[in-house]
Amino acid sequence: MNSSEEIAVSGMSAGRSAMRMGPAELVQAAAMARRFYLEGKSKIQIAEEFGVSRFKVARVLETALERDLVRIEIRVPAELDAERSDALRARYGLRHAVVVESPAEAEETPDPENLGEVAADLLGELVNEGDVLGMAWGRSTIHMAAALDRLPPCTVVQLTGVYDAGTSERGSVEAVRRAAQVSGGDAHPIYAPMLLPDAATAAALRNQTGIARAFEYFDKVTVACVSIGSWEPGISTVHDMLSDEERAHYASLGVAAEMAAHLFDAEGRRIGRDLGERCITVKADQLRRIPEVVAIAGGQRKASAIDAVLRSGLVTSLVTDTSAADYLMTAGPTPKPALSRQDPDGQ
């Protein structure tokens, strides 16, 4: 995923502006440029080799760039959009933003599978030996786990309960175990539903030994992966688990997005905190204290939800696609920088 730089050094075949240099100057400039850009020699080393001052070397190199004798090209893999990535990172004050080209045949599909593949590569960069990696339920995090092929030794903990929508995807428990297998570290899955009928049942489950052990790691998580859902069927885990009456209630509060079973309005403020009491999930203030929270979400249908969650200040990095990125770059007023990690309740 790292960008690569290609240095093209040409001699007599340079453009017309470069031809104004004499042949000896052209040959010397090309040789110096080759030493500096391709061989990695310092200006002092080049000066010593050619018997000139380092200031002379600096002028020659500058002239070589101005007159198109040297061309520098920054290249990234075709599926990555470097310009959109940098613009999105700056707009939301993110630590990392990676924008992937949207598949032409799946323009309306949220979270294309290639997002998970790119997120897996990003995770390989972000996770260090000894870290605690947290993973919340979501199709995108499941895709990411399936694509993982490298992780340093780390502990992997599940951040939310499970949700069985009758889909063909392997679940969050398997994703946690897969990540731990790749890293060679310990796995702490949660064998419990994400949403319970009432707060008392949820509290009782949290006190069960295996679940309580996983919860003990929540304050130790250093890197977290989360998914984002918009408030509509099939794109929000919480929406699909609630009754029609409950959906209408939270819709009346202005819900625009959900992440790790937490609900947000369009401004990124947390709403419906009573729902959280019924959920097996990491707390919002715990998420806010995690140094690196990577959200994986894309598609036009999720674009406004992604904007809402980014405005909450809980996310530090984002993997998305060009379809969502184009919306995000013009979505309302410029948000506060995410790295300020403001209170998710808007206080």
Side-chain angles (χ1 to χ4, degrees):
M1 284 177 41
N2 294 329
S3 64
S4 61
E5 297 187 3
E6 178 180 283
I7 312 300
V9 179
S10 56
M12 296 297 292
S13 61
R16 286 186 296 174
S17 59
M19 286 300 293
R20 295 173 185 171
M21 299 172 67
E25 291 177 303
L26 276 170
V27 170
Q28 185 183 69
M32 288 183 176
R34 187 173 290 106
R35 303 290 194 281
F36 185 73
Y37 291 110
L38 299 183
E39 299 175 11
K41 292 188 176 180
S42 70
K43 293 175 184 177
I44 293 177
Q45 289 174 315
I46 297 170
E48 290 175 352
E49 178 183 347
F50 286 88
V52 297
S53 70
R54 62 186 176 90
F55 302 106
K56 166 76 171 180
V57 174
R59 286 196 301 272
V60 169
L61 293 174
E62 184 178 348
T63 300
L65 283 171
E66 290 175 350
R67 300 192 177 186
D68 201 30
L69 182 64
V70 173
R71 296 186 304 275
I72 300 177
E73 299 179 9
I74 309 299
R75 294 181 178 178
V76 295
E79 69 271 17
L80 300 184
D81 192 311
E83 186 175 350
R84 282 186 175 93
S85 298
D86 188 52
L88 200 60
R89 179 200 56 76
R91 173 172 169 79
Y92 285 90
L94 297 168
R95 185 170 291 118
H96 304 283
V98 181
V99 177
V100 182
E101 192 69 33
S102 300
E105 69 280 4
E107 210 167 280
E108 295 299 321
T109 302
D111 303 336
E113 288 193 26
N114 62 338
L115 291 186
E117 296 168 2
V118 173
D121 285 342
L122 178 62
L123 208 61
E125 293 183 51
L126 299 181
V127 175
N128 296 306
E129 184 173 351
D131 276 348
V132 177
L133 170 63
M135 297 175 62
W137 191 95
R139 290 181 179 86
S140 56
T141 53
I142 291 171
H143 292 156
M144 180 210 66
L148 282 172
D149 60 9
R150 64 184 177 98
L151 270 182
C154 64
T155 299
V156 186
V157 60
Q158 193 170 322
L159 296 179
T160 63
V162 300
Y163 170 59
D164 179 12
T167 58
S168 60
E169 293 98 341
R170 295 175 67 82
S172 49
V173 169
E174 288 84 356
V176 167
R177 292 198 176 280
R178 164 66 181 167
Q181 180 184 26
V182 172
S183 75
D186 294 331
H188 295 276
I190 294 178
Y191 296 97
M194 183 185 295
L195 179 67
L196 282 303
D198 53 66
T201 304
L205 275 178
R206 292 188 199 105
N207 289 326
Q208 289 189 358
T209 303
I211 298 173
R213 186 177 300 115
F215 268 61
E216 289 173 358
Y217 278 92
F218 286 2
D219 287 326
K220 303 174 185 177
V221 173
T222 50
V223 180
C225 290
V226 298
S227 296
I228 295 173
S230 57
W231 198 246
E232 56 179 300
I235 310 186
S236 165
T237 302
V238 174
H239 180 283
D240 292 347
M241 289 189 293
L242 296 174
S243 66
D244 290 341
E245 183 180 352
E246 289 171 323
R247 291 169 190 158
H249 167 65
Y250 292 115
S252 71
L253 299 180
V255 61
E258 63 99 350
M259 177 183 70
H262 299 291
L263 306 183
F264 304 87
D265 68 11
E267 300 300 319
R269 293 183 292 259
R270 278 188 62 221
I271 60 175
R273 281 179 287 177
D274 60 310
L275 181 68
E277 297 173 1
R278 296 168 50 194
C279 292
I280 303 297
T281 185
V282 61
K283 294 179 180 179
D285 61 346
Q286 289 176 313
L287 275 173
R288 182 158 42 92
R289 291 195 295 269
I290 296 174
E292 186 74 75
V293 178
V294 181
I296 313 164
Q300 292 180 4
R301 295 174 65 186
K302 278 193 177 184
S304 60
I306 297 170
D307 175 63
V309 171
L310 292 182
R311 290 176 185 275
S312 75
L314 294 179
V315 171
T316 61
S317 297
L318 174 69
V319 177
T320 190
D321 61 2
T322 52
S323 177
D326 287 343
Y327 173 90
L328 293 171
M329 289 307 301
T330 58
T334 303
K336 295 178 182 178
L339 297 184
S340 66
R341 311 303 292 276
Q342 65 264 30
D343 192 301
D345 295 318
Q347 300 174 351

